[in-house]
Amino acid sequence: MPRGQKSKLRSREKRRQARAETQGLEVAEATGAAAAAGKPPSSENLPAAGARSTSEAPEGATGATASGSGTNSAENINSPKAESTSSPKGTDSSLNEILNKKVVLLVQFLLQKYQKKEPIRKADMMKHVIKQYKSHFNEILKRASDHMELAFGVDLKEVDPTRHCYTLVNKLDLAYDSALNEDEHMPKTGILMIVLGVIFMRGNCAPEEAIWEVLNMMGVYAERKHFIYGDPKKVLTEDLVQLKYLEYRQVANSDPPRYEFLWGPRAHAEASKMKVLEFLANMHDTVPSAFPTWYAEALRDEEERAQARAVARAHTAALASARSRATAGSSSQAK
């Protein structure tokens, strides 16, 4: 089979797996949110059984199919009964189903730790999520980590190899989440990086319809509330614009009015084309150089940034030197 066709098949399979897994994540997150609020899961905060997921992970997200039934909860997924009776043990399909549920639970566990700013320890993951499937810990952790990166824009990093402690780091070190809404704790870097990537790949200016076309493929719609992003249209056209991560403007001479997105000044300052391209390449299970045109542009951007930093450092050093000479001169005159 030609290499290109194999890649397409792998990408299609990943999308299928991500859709199913993310629907399981909706169930886990809704249940976790209800539990955090001291409320039992209800039909209002759980996705309907068999409903199409409204928060599909980006294309290429790593992970396998998880249960999409809206009747599952974090409690019954993690119960011994669910692990032992959902399907006969000893078969590949039953083990795969259990591991899929473990990935969903681990993502929920990591999100809760992120929200509460609590340390993430391997021992706690083993005790509360992995349980008797210790031999599959690395596989479950890898798949959950990939999902955290692609869907939420955060990296899972081991900060203490001796005690096996981890932390979740915002992928672009952006600080806008708390500014959007103090009551919202879900990282939104993922959707911002997707939008920045579309803008970059559309020649640094993307029509609004192109943005929504991509987001719709992920199950994110302008007119539909999202369990992570809330009101996606408001997030993109108001919140991130006010915070200067995006620029949203009317297309010149358009009648009826049409709109387009550009990178805002804070995106230029805090992100980079190479970081965004690396994120998009990871989504497609490849490397940035697989997109030669955009890779070349990203390299030029890196060089320009390096030159700008060098100029800034030289300017700072010159100012410091001038202040030092002025101080020395004042001291000598005083004597």
Side-chain angles (χ1 to χ4, degrees), residues 23-57:
Q23 188 164 346
L25 286 171
E26 287 190 10
V27 175
E29 171 55 32
T31 305
K39 302 175 182 178
S42 70
S43 59
E44 294 181 356
N45 57 30
L46 288 177
R52 185 178 185 275
S53 171
T54 61
S55 59
E56 296 171 3

PDB file of all heavy atoms in Angstrom, residues 23-57:
ATOM      1  N   GLN A  23     -16.078  11.366  23.651  1.00  0.00           N
ATOM      2  CA  GLN A  23     -17.436  11.277  24.185  1.00  0.00           C
ATOM      3  C   GLN A  23     -17.383  10.671  25.578  1.00  0.00           C
ATOM      4  O   GLN A  23     -18.093  11.088  26.481  1.00  0.00           O
ATOM      5  CB  GLN A  23     -18.334  10.437  23.281  1.00  0.00           C
ATOM      6  CG  GLN A  23     -19.799  10.496  23.734  1.00  0.00           C
ATOM      7  CD  GLN A  23     -20.728  10.003  22.664  1.00  0.00           C
ATOM      8  OE1 GLN A  23     -20.354   9.861  21.518  1.00  0.00           O
ATOM      9  NE2 GLN A  23     -21.948   9.754  23.035  1.00  0.00           N
ATOM     10  N   GLY A  24     -16.515   9.695  25.769  1.00  0.00           N
ATOM     11  CA  GLY A  24     -16.323   9.147  27.106  1.00  0.00           C
ATOM     12  C   GLY A  24     -15.793  10.196  28.057  1.00  0.00           C
ATOM     13  O   GLY A  24     -16.161  10.245  29.224  1.00  0.00           O
ATOM     14  N   LEU A  25     -14.932  11.097  27.553  1.00  0.00           N
ATOM     15  CA  LEU A  25     -14.401  12.169  28.386  1.00  0.00           C
ATOM     16  C   LEU A  25     -15.502  13.125  28.810  1.00  0.00           C
ATOM     17  O   LEU A  25     -15.489  13.663  29.908  1.00  0.00           O
ATOM     18  CB  LEU A  25     -13.308  12.932  27.634  1.00  0.00           C
ATOM     19  CG  LEU A  25     -11.984  12.190  27.493  1.00  0.00           C
ATOM     20  CD1 LEU A  25     -11.080  12.943  26.545  1.00  0.00           C
ATOM     21  CD2 LEU A  25     -11.327  12.022  28.839  1.00  0.00           C
ATOM     22  N   GLU A  26     -16.477  13.366  27.927  1.00  0.00           N
ATOM     23  CA  GLU A  26     -17.591  14.235  28.299  1.00  0.00           C
ATOM     24  C   GLU A  26     -18.340  13.644  29.487  1.00  0.00           C
ATOM     25  O   GLU A  26     -18.718  14.338  30.415  1.00  0.00           O
ATOM     26  CB  GLU A  26     -18.554  14.406  27.120  1.00  0.00           C
ATOM     27  CG  GLU A  26     -17.999  15.283  26.020  1.00  0.00           C
ATOM     28  CD  GLU A  26     -19.061  15.617  24.993  1.00  0.00           C
ATOM     29  OE1 GLU A  26     -20.246  15.317  25.252  1.00  0.00           O
ATOM     30  OE2 GLU A  26     -18.719  16.171  23.954  1.00  0.00           O
ATOM     31  N   VAL A  27     -18.567  12.343  29.445  1.00  0.00           N
ATOM     32  CA  VAL A  27     -19.259  11.683  30.545  1.00  0.00           C
ATOM     33  C   VAL A  27     -18.446  11.826  31.819  1.00  0.00           C
ATOM     34  O   VAL A  27     -18.962  12.181  32.879  1.00  0.00           O
ATOM     35  CB  VAL A  27     -19.487  10.191  30.217  1.00  0.00           C
ATOM     36  CG1 VAL A  27     -20.097   9.480  31.412  1.00  0.00           C
ATOM     37  CG2 VAL A  27     -20.388  10.048  29.007  1.00  0.00           C
ATOM     38  N   ALA A  28     -17.132  11.543  31.719  1.00  0.00           N
ATOM     39  CA  ALA A  28     -16.276  11.615  32.893  1.00  0.00           C
ATOM     40  C   ALA A  28     -16.228  13.031  33.453  1.00  0.00           C
ATOM     41  O   ALA A  28     -16.304  13.246  34.656  1.00  0.00           O
ATOM     42  CB  ALA A  28     -14.867  11.136  32.552  1.00  0.00           C
ATOM     43  N   GLU A  29     -16.088  14.018  32.563  1.00  0.00           N
ATOM     44  CA  GLU A  29     -15.981  15.400  33.018  1.00  0.00           C
ATOM     45  C   GLU A  29     -17.289  15.876  33.635  1.00  0.00           C
ATOM     46  O   GLU A  29     -17.292  16.546  34.670  1.00  0.00           O
ATOM     47  CB  GLU A  29     -15.600  16.309  31.845  1.00  0.00           C
ATOM     48  CG  GLU A  29     -15.664  17.786  32.161  1.00  0.00           C
ATOM     49  CD  GLU A  29     -14.839  18.159  33.369  1.00  0.00           C
ATOM     50  OE1 GLU A  29     -13.805  17.508  33.612  1.00  0.00           O
ATOM     51  OE2 GLU A  29     -15.239  19.092  34.075  1.00  0.00           O
ATOM     52  N   ALA A  30     -18.412  15.547  32.992  1.00  0.00           N
ATOM     53  CA  ALA A  30     -19.701  15.969  33.541  1.00  0.00           C
ATOM     54  C   ALA A  30     -19.914  15.359  34.912  1.00  0.00           C
ATOM     55  O   ALA A  30     -20.387  16.009  35.838  1.00  0.00           O
ATOM     56  CB  ALA A  30     -20.838  15.557  32.594  1.00  0.00           C
ATOM     57  N   THR A  31     -19.543  14.091  35.057  1.00  0.00           N
ATOM     58  CA  THR A  31     -19.696  13.421  36.339  1.00  0.00           C
ATOM     59  C   THR A  31     -18.776  14.045  37.374  1.00  0.00           C
ATOM     60  O   THR A  31     -19.161  14.280  38.509  1.00  0.00           O
ATOM     61  CB  THR A  31     -19.374  11.922  36.189  1.00  0.00           C
ATOM     62  OG1 THR A  31     -20.192  11.388  35.157  1.00  0.00           O
ATOM     63  CG2 THR A  31     -19.657  11.177  37.478  1.00  0.00           C
ATOM     64  N   GLY A  32     -17.519  14.315  36.952  1.00  0.00           N
ATOM     65  CA  GLY A  32     -16.560  14.910  37.872  1.00  0.00           C
ATOM     66  C   GLY A  32     -16.994  16.295  38.316  1.00  0.00           C
ATOM     67  O   GLY A  32     -16.850  16.665  39.478  1.00  0.00           O
ATOM     68  N   ALA A  33     -17.548  17.089  37.394  1.00  0.00           N
ATOM     69  CA  ALA A  33     -18.005  18.432  37.743  1.00  0.00           C
ATOM     70  C   ALA A  33     -19.156  18.372  38.735  1.00  0.00           C
ATOM     71  O   ALA A  33     -19.225  19.146  39.684  1.00  0.00           O
ATOM     72  CB  ALA A  33     -18.437  19.184  36.481  1.00  0.00           C
ATOM     73  N   ALA A  34     -20.057  17.424  38.510  1.00  0.00           N
ATOM     74  CA  ALA A  34     -21.191  17.276  39.423  1.00  0.00           C
ATOM     75  C   ALA A  34     -20.715  16.846  40.804  1.00  0.00           C
ATOM     76  O   ALA A  34     -21.186  17.338  41.829  1.00  0.00           O
ATOM     77  CB  ALA A  34     -22.186  16.248  38.866  1.00  0.00           C
ATOM     78  N   ALA A  35     -19.737  15.927  40.829  1.00  0.00           N
ATOM     79  CA  ALA A  35     -19.219  15.460  42.109  1.00  0.00           C
ATOM     80  C   ALA A  35     -18.516  16.580  42.857  1.00  0.00           C
ATOM     81  O   ALA A  35     -18.645  16.730  44.073  1.00  0.00           O
ATOM     82  CB  ALA A  35     -18.251  14.302  41.884  1.00  0.00           C
ATOM     83  N   ALA A  36     -17.770  17.412  42.117  1.00  0.00           N
ATOM     84  CA  ALA A  36     -17.054  18.524  42.750  1.00  0.00           C
ATOM     85  C   ALA A  36     -18.029  19.521  43.358  1.00  0.00           C
ATOM     86  O   ALA A  36     -17.729  20.170  44.358  1.00  0.00           O
ATOM     87  CB  ALA A  36     -16.156  19.222  41.733  1.00  0.00           C
ATOM     88  N   ALA A  37     -19.211  19.635  42.750  1.00  0.00           N
ATOM     89  CA  ALA A  37     -20.224  20.561  43.247  1.00  0.00           C
ATOM     90  C   ALA A  37     -21.101  19.926  44.320  1.00  0.00           C
ATOM     91  O   ALA A  37     -22.024  20.540  44.826  1.00  0.00           O
ATOM     92  CB  ALA A  37     -21.097  21.049  42.087  1.00  0.00           C
ATOM     93  N   GLY A  38     -20.824  18.656  44.634  1.00  0.00           N
ATOM     94  CA  GLY A  38     -21.608  17.958  45.637  1.00  0.00           C
ATOM     95  C   GLY A  38     -22.948  17.485  45.136  1.00  0.00           C
ATOM     96  O   GLY A  38     -23.868  17.242  45.901  1.00  0.00           O
ATOM     97  N   LYS A  39     -23.073  17.337  43.805  1.00  0.00           N
ATOM     98  CA  LYS A  39     -24.341  16.926  43.215  1.00  0.00           C
ATOM     99  C   LYS A  39     -24.177  15.570  42.549  1.00  0.00           C
ATOM    100  O   LYS A  39     -23.135  15.289  41.956  1.00  0.00           O
ATOM    101  CB  LYS A  39     -24.807  17.937  42.172  1.00  0.00           C
ATOM    102  CG  LYS A  39     -24.989  19.352  42.704  1.00  0.00           C
ATOM    103  CD  LYS A  39     -25.335  20.290  41.572  1.00  0.00           C
ATOM    104  CE  LYS A  39     -25.479  21.723  42.055  1.00  0.00           C
ATOM    105  NZ  LYS A  39     -25.764  22.653  40.953  1.00  0.00           N
ATOM    106  N   PRO A  40     -25.215  14.739  42.590  1.00  0.00           N
ATOM    107  CA  PRO A  40     -25.136  13.473  41.865  1.00  0.00           C
ATOM    108  C   PRO A  40     -25.280  13.718  40.379  1.00  0.00           C
ATOM    109  O   PRO A  40     -25.877  14.706  39.958  1.00  0.00           O
ATOM    110  CB  PRO A  40     -26.348  12.696  42.415  1.00  0.00           C
ATOM    111  CG  PRO A  40     -27.322  13.766  42.819  1.00  0.00           C
ATOM    112  CD  PRO A  40     -26.484  14.920  43.306  1.00  0.00           C
ATOM    113  N   PRO A  41     -24.716  12.839  39.536  1.00  0.00           N
ATOM    114  CA  PRO A  41     -24.889  12.987  38.094  1.00  0.00           C
ATOM    115  C   PRO A  41     -26.363  12.968  37.724  1.00  0.00           C
ATOM    116  O   PRO A  41     -27.152  12.237  38.308  1.00  0.00           O
ATOM    117  CB  PRO A  41     -24.157  11.758  37.525  1.00  0.00           C
ATOM    118  CG  PRO A  41     -23.216  11.339  38.607  1.00  0.00           C
ATOM    119  CD  PRO A  41     -23.889  11.685  39.893  1.00  0.00           C
ATOM    120  N   SER A  42     -26.752  13.804  36.785  1.00  0.00           N
ATOM    121  CA  SER A  42     -28.143  13.846  36.355  1.00  0.00           C
ATOM    122  C   SER A  42     -28.206  13.834  34.848  1.00  0.00           C
ATOM    123  O   SER A  42     -27.204  13.990  34.163  1.00  0.00           O
ATOM    124  CB  SER A  42     -28.816  15.117  36.890  1.00  0.00           C
ATOM    125  OG  SER A  42     -28.305  16.247  36.222  1.00  0.00           O
ATOM    126  N   SER A  43     -29.418  13.712  34.330  1.00  0.00           N
ATOM    127  CA  SER A  43     -29.603  13.700  32.879  1.00  0.00           C
ATOM    128  C   SER A  43     -29.248  15.040  32.265  1.00  0.00           C
ATOM    129  O   SER A  43     -28.994  15.145  31.076  1.00  0.00           O
ATOM    130  CB  SER A  43     -31.063  13.357  32.539  1.00  0.00           C
ATOM    131  OG  SER A  43     -31.935  14.302  33.135  1.00  0.00           O
ATOM    132  N   GLU A  44     -29.195  16.104  33.089  1.00  0.00           N
ATOM    133  CA  GLU A  44     -28.876  17.430  32.559  1.00  0.00           C
ATOM    134  C   GLU A  44     -27.396  17.630  32.328  1.00  0.00           C
ATOM    135  O   GLU A  44     -26.991  18.364  31.450  1.00  0.00           O
ATOM    136  CB  GLU A  44     -29.388  18.513  33.523  1.00  0.00           C
ATOM    137  CG  GLU A  44     -30.907  18.549  33.611  1.00  0.00           C
ATOM    138  CD  GLU A  44     -31.366  19.645  34.543  1.00  0.00           C
ATOM    139  OE1 GLU A  44     -30.498  20.298  35.157  1.00  0.00           O
ATOM    140  OE2 GLU A  44     -32.565  19.840  34.668  1.00  0.00           O
ATOM    141  N   ASN A  45     -26.546  16.971  33.164  1.00  0.00           N
ATOM    142  CA  ASN A  45     -25.116  17.212  33.006  1.00  0.00           C
ATOM    143  C   ASN A  45     -24.381  16.047  32.369  1.00  0.00           C
ATOM    144  O   ASN A  45     -23.171  16.065  32.253  1.00  0.00           O
ATOM    145  CB  ASN A  45     -24.453  17.584  34.350  1.00  0.00           C
ATOM    146  CG  ASN A  45     -24.651  16.526  35.419  1.00  0.00           C
ATOM    147  OD1 ASN A  45     -24.760  15.344  35.106  1.00  0.00           O
ATOM    148  ND2 ASN A  45     -24.704  16.950  36.676  1.00  0.00           N
ATOM    149  N   LEU A  46     -25.120  15.033  31.928  1.00  0.00           N
ATOM    150  CA  LEU A  46     -24.494  13.931  31.209  1.00  0.00           C
ATOM    151  C   LEU A  46     -24.939  13.943  29.756  1.00  0.00           C
ATOM    152  O   LEU A  46     -26.115  14.161  29.466  1.00  0.00           O
ATOM    153  CB  LEU A  46     -24.877  12.579  31.836  1.00  0.00           C
ATOM    154  CG  LEU A  46     -24.231  12.254  33.194  1.00  0.00           C
ATOM    155  CD1 LEU A  46     -24.770  10.932  33.701  1.00  0.00           C
ATOM    156  CD2 LEU A  46     -22.722  12.191  33.078  1.00  0.00           C
ATOM    157  N   PRO A  47     -24.025  13.705  28.799  1.00  0.00           N
ATOM    158  CA  PRO A  47     -24.418  13.629  27.396  1.00  0.00           C
ATOM    159  C   PRO A  47     -25.399  12.490  27.176  1.00  0.00           C
ATOM    160  O   PRO A  47     -25.344  11.471  27.843  1.00  0.00           O
ATOM    161  CB  PRO A  47     -23.087  13.362  26.672  1.00  0.00           C
ATOM    162  CG  PRO A  47     -22.027  13.786  27.642  1.00  0.00           C
ATOM    163  CD  PRO A  47     -22.596  13.528  28.998  1.00  0.00           C
ATOM    164  N   ALA A  48     -26.300  12.674  26.240  1.00  0.00           N
ATOM    165  CA  ALA A  48     -27.270  11.629  25.940  1.00  0.00           C
ATOM    166  C   ALA A  48     -26.578  10.400  25.366  1.00  0.00           C
ATOM    167  O   ALA A  48     -25.610  10.497  24.645  1.00  0.00           O
ATOM    168  CB  ALA A  48     -28.305  12.150  24.939  1.00  0.00           C
ATOM    169  N   ALA A  49     -27.076   9.235  25.720  1.00  0.00           N
ATOM    170  CA  ALA A  49     -26.486   8.003  25.217  1.00  0.00           C
ATOM    171  C   ALA A  49     -26.575   7.957  23.708  1.00  0.00           C
ATOM    172  O   ALA A  49     -27.628   8.192  23.131  1.00  0.00           O
ATOM    173  CB  ALA A  49     -27.216   6.797  25.828  1.00  0.00           C
ATOM    174  N   GLY A  50     -25.447   7.677  23.078  1.00  0.00           N
ATOM    175  CA  GLY A  50     -25.424   7.544  21.634  1.00  0.00           C
ATOM    176  C   GLY A  50     -25.365   8.854  20.899  1.00  0.00           C
ATOM    177  O   GLY A  50     -25.334   8.890  19.677  1.00  0.00           O
ATOM    178  N   ALA A  51     -25.362   9.970  21.629  1.00  0.00           N
ATOM    179  CA  ALA A  51     -25.332  11.276  20.962  1.00  0.00           C
ATOM    180  C   ALA A  51     -23.971  11.516  20.355  1.00  0.00           C
ATOM    181  O   ALA A  51     -22.966  11.036  20.828  1.00  0.00           O
ATOM    182  CB  ALA A  51     -25.667  12.378  21.967  1.00  0.00           C
ATOM    183  N   ARG A  52     -23.938  12.331  19.316  1.00  0.00           N
ATOM    184  CA  ARG A  52     -22.677  12.658  18.666  1.00  0.00           C
ATOM    185  C   ARG A  52     -21.873  13.551  19.591  1.00  0.00           C
ATOM    186  O   ARG A  52     -22.384  14.496  20.157  1.00  0.00           O
ATOM    187  CB  ARG A  52     -22.939  13.402  17.352  1.00  0.00           C
ATOM    188  CG  ARG A  52     -21.671  13.679  16.558  1.00  0.00           C
ATOM    189  CD  ARG A  52     -22.031  14.367  15.267  1.00  0.00           C
ATOM    190  NE  ARG A  52     -20.856  14.533  14.427  1.00  0.00           N
ATOM    191  CZ  ARG A  52     -20.020  15.550  14.537  1.00  0.00           C
ATOM    192  NH1 ARG A  52     -20.213  16.452  15.459  1.00  0.00           N
ATOM    193  NH2 ARG A  52     -18.977  15.649  13.724  1.00  0.00           N
ATOM    194  N   SER A  53     -20.599  13.254  19.768  1.00  0.00           N
ATOM    195  CA  SER A  53     -19.743  14.047  20.635  1.00  0.00           C
ATOM    196  C   SER A  53     -19.644  15.476  20.130  1.00  0.00           C
ATOM    197  O   SER A  53     -19.491  15.728  18.958  1.00  0.00           O
ATOM    198  CB  SER A  53     -18.343  13.432  20.684  1.00  0.00           C
ATOM    199  OG  SER A  53     -17.458  14.289  21.355  1.00  0.00           O
ATOM    200  N   THR A  54     -19.714  16.430  21.077  1.00  0.00           N
ATOM    201  CA  THR A  54     -19.594  17.836  20.702  1.00  0.00           C
ATOM    202  C   THR A  54     -18.226  18.393  21.022  1.00  0.00           C
ATOM    203  O   THR A  54     -18.010  19.585  20.969  1.00  0.00           O
ATOM    204  CB  THR A  54     -20.657  18.670  21.444  1.00  0.00           C
ATOM    205  OG1 THR A  54     -20.437  18.547  22.843  1.00  0.00           O
ATOM    206  CG2 THR A  54     -22.048  18.225  21.075  1.00  0.00           C
ATOM    207  N   SER A  55     -17.278  17.524  21.367  1.00  0.00           N
ATOM    208  CA  SER A  55     -15.935  18.020  21.693  1.00  0.00           C
ATOM    209  C   SER A  55     -14.891  17.045  21.218  1.00  0.00           C
ATOM    210  O   SER A  55     -14.031  16.621  21.951  1.00  0.00           O
ATOM    211  CB  SER A  55     -15.808  18.214  23.198  1.00  0.00           C
ATOM    212  OG  SER A  55     -16.031  16.996  23.854  1.00  0.00           O
ATOM    213  N   GLU A  56     -14.972  16.666  19.973  1.00  0.00           N
ATOM    214  CA  GLU A  56     -14.045  15.690  19.454  1.00  0.00           C
ATOM    215  C   GLU A  56     -12.626  16.219  19.519  1.00  0.00           C
ATOM    216  O   GLU A  56     -12.362  17.384  19.309  1.00  0.00           O
ATOM    217  CB  GLU A  56     -14.398  15.360  18.000  1.00  0.00           C
ATOM    218  CG  GLU A  56     -15.773  14.700  17.889  1.00  0.00           C
ATOM    219  CD  GLU A  56     -16.214  14.570  16.455  1.00  0.00           C
ATOM    220  OE1 GLU A  56     -15.428  14.931  15.578  1.00  0.00           O
ATOM    221  OE2 GLU A  56     -17.319  14.106  16.224  1.00  0.00           O
ATOM    222  N   ALA A  57     -11.695  15.309  19.807  1.00  0.00           N
ATOM    223  CA  ALA A  57     -10.296  15.709  19.852  1.00  0.00           C
ATOM    224  C   ALA A  57      -9.821  16.024  18.454  1.00  0.00           C
ATOM    225  O   ALA A  57     -10.366  15.540  17.470  1.00  0.00           O
ATOM    226  CB  ALA A  57      -9.466  14.580  20.456  1.00  0.00           C
TER     227      ALA A  57
END
